[in-house]
Amino acid sequence: MFEFIDENDLSFERKVDRPTLPQNFGISVPEQARTPGRVASSALDLSAGPLSAILDALPQMVRISDPSGRLEYRNKRFYEFTGATSGEIEAEDWKKVVHPGDGEGAWAEWRRCLRTGEEYEARYRVRHHSGEYRWILARANPNYDDKGNIVRWFGTSTDIHEQRRAEEALRISEERLRLALETTALGIWDADLVTGTREWTREARNILGLAPEAPTTRETFLDRVHPEDRTRMEAKFFALQPESILSYQEECRIIRADTGEERWVATSGRTLFNTEGKAIRKLGTIQDITARKEGEVETWRAANYDTLTGLPKSLS
C-alpha cells in the first residue's frame, strides 16, 4: 500500500449507494491528527480497548487511511513483518520497502482507486525483516458516510509468498510437461466418466488429423480407427463396465481425418476411482508409431528375404 496522495489531484464528491459503517468504526481520531502533514502513525488512538488487541492478533497487516490515502493506523503485524519500528516507515517512505520492479504499478493502481472509489487489489513484493522480498496481496475497501462520501479506507496486506512460489513451481512444471509432450509428439486424452466430458490435447488431435473444433466424442475417435481394428479398440477402451479394466495398452491403425492416410498409433490408459471404488475418470496417451512399425517391417524383411533377388532366404 502507499500513502500521501496529492489531495489536489483527487475528487471525493462521487455519490454511491453502498452500505456504510460507523464513520470512525469505534476508533478515536484526535483532531490534531487530521491536520495535513501530521505523522501518520499518530492519526488514530488505538492504545486502549479491545479493538487494538483484535487488530494486532490478525495474521494480516492492517492499515487505515483517510479519504486522501494518508495513513492513519497500522497494526503490529506490519512492524513485525518489515522489522521497522513504529513511525519509521510511513508515508512515501513505505515505497522504499517495495520491490523496485513492483512499486510503480502498485502505486499507480492505488492512486486510481483513490480517484474512483473502487476497491483496491494488488500483488507485489515487500522487503521482509529477513532481507528477503516476499509477495503480498494488498486489498483496501472504502467506507462511506450516509451521504455516499468516502470517509476512510480499510486495508489489509497478506503474505502470499509461499502460494506464489507454489504457483510458479506449478507453472514451470506444466511448461516442462508441455515441452516434453511436444518433443515426443505424445498426445493426452482425458475422459470424465461422471459428466461424460472428454478433453484431448492439441497433439492428440494432430495425430488423428482432427481440426481444433472437432468434438471430443467416443464416435469421433472410433471413426478414425481402421475398420479391422475398431471392434477390438472399442471393447478395450469403451467397456460397458469401466471397473473391469484398470489399465490398457493397445496398438492400432487409424485413418487420418485430414489426409485419409493410414497410420499406426499406440495408445494407453488407466481407470481412476473415487474413495468408494467407483470409476470416475480415464486418462491416457496416444502416440504415432508409424515410423517404428515401418522399421519393424524392414527389419523382418531383411531377416527373411534376400536383398538382391527379393526371394525368401529359405529358397536362395
Side-chain angles (χ1 to χ4, degrees):
M1 291 290 180
F2 305 94
E3 291 75 38
F4 287 165
I5 306 300
D6 182 359
E7 296 182 27
N8 296 323
D9 193 31
L10 305 173
S11 172
F12 298 99
E13 298 302 321
R14 179 171 171 268
K15 306 295 183 182
V16 294
D17 184 16
R18 299 276 188 95
T20 61
L21 295 173
Q23 181 167 339
N24 292 331
F25 199 51
I27 300 170
S28 174
V29 185
E31 184 64 34
Q32 66 271 21
R34 300 173 190 168
T35 305
R38 298 289 295 182
V39 177
S41 60
S42 66
L44 294 181
D45 182 10
L46 289 174
S47 58
L51 183 56
S52 175
I54 292 173
L55 293 178
D56 283 339
L58 293 175
Q60 291 88 6
M61 293 171 272
V62 177
R63 64 185 296 279
I64 302 174
S65 303
D66 71 8
S68 70
R70 184 172 55 243
L71 181 69
E72 293 185 329
Y73 167 79
R74 277 200 178 107
N75 70 342
K76 183 173 66 175
R77 175 61 178 151
F78 167 79
Y79 300 103
E80 293 174 345
F81 185 88
T82 62
T85 58
S86 180
E88 181 181 349
I89 301 179
E90 306 296 353
E92 293 191 356
D93 287 342
W94 168 234
K95 290 188 290 185
K96 295 179 181 179
V97 300
V98 178
H99 191 281
D102 302 338
E104 192 63 33
W107 176 246
E109 177 64 10
W110 177 228
R111 288 173 61 89
R112 187 189 69 80
C113 291
L114 288 173
R115 292 190 187 95
T116 64
E118 296 177 44
E119 296 179 358
Y120 174 76
E121 180 172 316
R123 292 167 176 80
Y124 51 86
R125 289 162 290 181
V126 170
R127 190 172 64 242
H128 188 252
H129 65 77
S130 64
E132 174 190 29
Y133 279 100
R134 295 183 66 84
W135 283 97
I136 68 166
L137 169 62
R139 290 192 173 111
N141 295 320
N143 175 221
Y144 299 84
D145 62 17
D146 55 4
K147 296 180 180 180
N149 297 312
I150 295 176
V151 294
R152 186 153 285 110
W153 286 82
F154 296 97
T156 61
S157 295
T158 305
D159 185 344
I160 59 168
H161 192 70
E162 299 308 321
Q163 175 186 333
R164 287 290 297 230
R165 290 181 61 180
E167 291 173 351
E168 180 64 12
L170 177 60
R171 185 193 66 78
I172 293 174
S173 177
E174 290 176 342
E175 179 66 12
R176 288 173 177 169
L177 176 60
R178 184 186 66 80
L179 292 174
L181 294 177
E182 290 180 355
T183 302
T184 59
L186 188 68
I188 303 293
W189 54 267
D190 188 351
D192 189 321
L193 302 180
V194 178
T195 64
T197 58
R198 292 181 174 85
E199 294 184 9
W200 299 344
T201 62
R202 180 178 60 183
E203 190 56 41
R205 291 175 177 273
N206 289 342
I207 290 171
L208 297 172
L210 295 171
E213 65 275 10
T216 56
T217 64
R218 162 181 173 163
E219 290 72 23
T220 301
F221 172 72
L222 290 177
D223 285 347
R224 305 274 51 85
V225 177
H226 193 284
E228 295 179 5
D229 299 337
R230 192 170 298 159
T231 300
R232 173 171 56 87
M233 294 298 292
E234 183 174 15
K236 180 61 69 75
F237 284 86
F238 300 100
L240 294 178
Q241 299 296 328
E243 294 86 351
S244 63
I245 303 178
L246 302 183
S247 61
Y248 25 82
Q249 185 169 343
E250 290 288 337
E251 296 178 356
C252 71
R253 292 161 292 175
I254 63 165
I255 308 298
R256 286 182 59 93
D258 52 356
T259 64
E261 178 186 8
E262 181 179 310
R263 308 285 294 181
W264 276 94
V265 299
T267 183
S268 61
R270 177 177 294 275
T271 303
L272 306 180
F273 300 84
N274 62 14
T275 56
E276 299 174 352
K278 180 181 178 180
I280 58 173
R281 186 179 178 191
K282 286 187 176 182
L283 186 65
T285 64
I286 183 170
Q287 186 173 29
D288 190 312
I289 59 170
T290 304
R292 193 195 82 192
K293 282 291 187 179
E294 291 175 346
E296 291 174 355
V297 171
E298 290 301 319
T299 300
W300 179 86
R301 182 178 294 277
N304 293 278
Y305 285 83
D306 186 276
T307 56
L308 294 177
T309 65
L311 296 174
K313 289 185 176 181
S314 59
L315 300 178
S316 58

